[in-house]
C-alpha cells in the first residue's frame, strides 16, 4: 500500500469500547457503506482471535477508537468526506493484519452485514482483498 498521510490514530485507543463500537456501526452503517462496515467488523472480531499478536490488537483498538471518536481529522457529519479518514485508517490496519485474520472471522463479519445491507450489497466485500492485500485494495 502506498504511504498514506494518516492521522495518529493510536492516540484514540482509549476511546475504544465494545458498546461504543456497536452503537457507532449501527448508527452509520448505511451511510458508511458495506466496505467500511465490513472492514470495521473484521477488525472488531479479530480482537477475539488468538492468531493476532498483542501489538496488532493494540493497533486495531487504536483504529476502532478512531472510528468511534467524535473527534477525528474529518468530522463524520461532513457528507461523503466525513468517513473517508475513518476508512483510510481501517484499511491501513486491515492491510497489516489481513494475513492473520481467520476465515471464520471474515465469515462472521459478512454474516453480521445482513443486519444493515441487502445480499447484492454484501457481494461488494468479496473484493476487499484477495489473499494478498496488495493485489486488490479497496
Amino acid at each position: 500500500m502506498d504511504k498514506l498521510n494518516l492521522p495518529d490514530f493510536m492516540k484514540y485507543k482509549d476511546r475504544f469500547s465494545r458498546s461504543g463500537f456497536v452503537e457507532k456501526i449501527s448508527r452509520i452503517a448505511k451511510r458508511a457503506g458495506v466496505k467500511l462496515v465490513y472492514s470495521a467488523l473484521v477488525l472488531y472480531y479479530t480482537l477475539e482471535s488468538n492468531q493476532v499478536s498483542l501489538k496488532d490488537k493494540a493497533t486495531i483498538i487504536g483504529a476502532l477508537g478512531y472510528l468511534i471518536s467524535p473527534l477525528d481529522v474529518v468530522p463524520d457529519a461532513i457528507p461523503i468526506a466525513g468517513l473517508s479518514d475513518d476508512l483510510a485508517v481501517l484499511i491501513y490496519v486491515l492491510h497489516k493484519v489481513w494475513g492473520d485474520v481467520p476465515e471464520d472471522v471474515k465469515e462472521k463479519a459478512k454474516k453480521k452485514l445482513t443486519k444493515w445491507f441487502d445480499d447484492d450489497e454484501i457481494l461488494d466485500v468479496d473484493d476487499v482483498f484477495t489473499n494478498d492485500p496488495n493485489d486488490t485494495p479497496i
Side-chain angles (χ1 to χ4, degrees):
M1 179 175 230
D2 292 338
K3 197 160 185 122
L4 295 175
N5 214 359
L6 292 175
D8 180 14
F9 61 88
M10 288 306 294
K11 69 181 182 183
Y12 292 87
K13 66 183 183 318
D14 294 335
R15 294 194 178 266
F16 173 76
S17 70
R18 292 187 185 276
S19 61
F21 174 80
V22 171
E23 187 276 326
K24 174 81 176 216
I25 288 296
S26 296
R27 188 167 38 83
I28 68 163
K30 276 306 236 187
R31 183 169 53 99
V34 70
K35 289 184 180 183
L36 183 144
V37 174
Y38 178 70
S39 299
L41 289 170
V42 167
L43 292 174
Y44 178 76
Y45 292 137
T46 297
L47 290 175
E48 300 169 352
S49 173
N50 60 2
Q51 295 180 29
V52 178
S53 71
L54 289 176
K55 180 181 175 189
D56 285 345
K57 286 182 180 187
T59 303
I60 291 169
I61 288 171
L64 295 178
Y66 184 81
L67 172 68
I68 65 175
S69 174
L71 307 170
D72 55 17
V73 175
V74 181
D76 294 345
I78 297 174
I80 301 171
L83 294 169
S84 62
D85 60 322
D86 298 294
L87 181 58
V89 166
L90 294 176
I91 295 302
Y92 172 78
V93 174
L94 201 52
H95 265 281
K96 292 182 70 143
V97 301
W98 188 254
D100 294 326
V101 175
E103 287 302 315
D104 64 312
V105 165
K106 295 172 190 174
E107 286 305 312
K108 185 176 181 179
K110 193 183 253 190
K111 186 175 180 181
K112 185 69 171 180
L113 292 174
T114 61
K115 181 174 181 174
W116 303 287
F117 301 99
D118 297 330
D119 290 342
D120 59 327
E121 292 172 301
I122 294 171
L123 291 175
D124 286 343
V125 303
D126 289 339
D127 67 349
V128 169
F129 294 121
T130 59
N131 286 335
D132 179 1
N134 294 315
D135 286 347
T136 311
I138 289 180

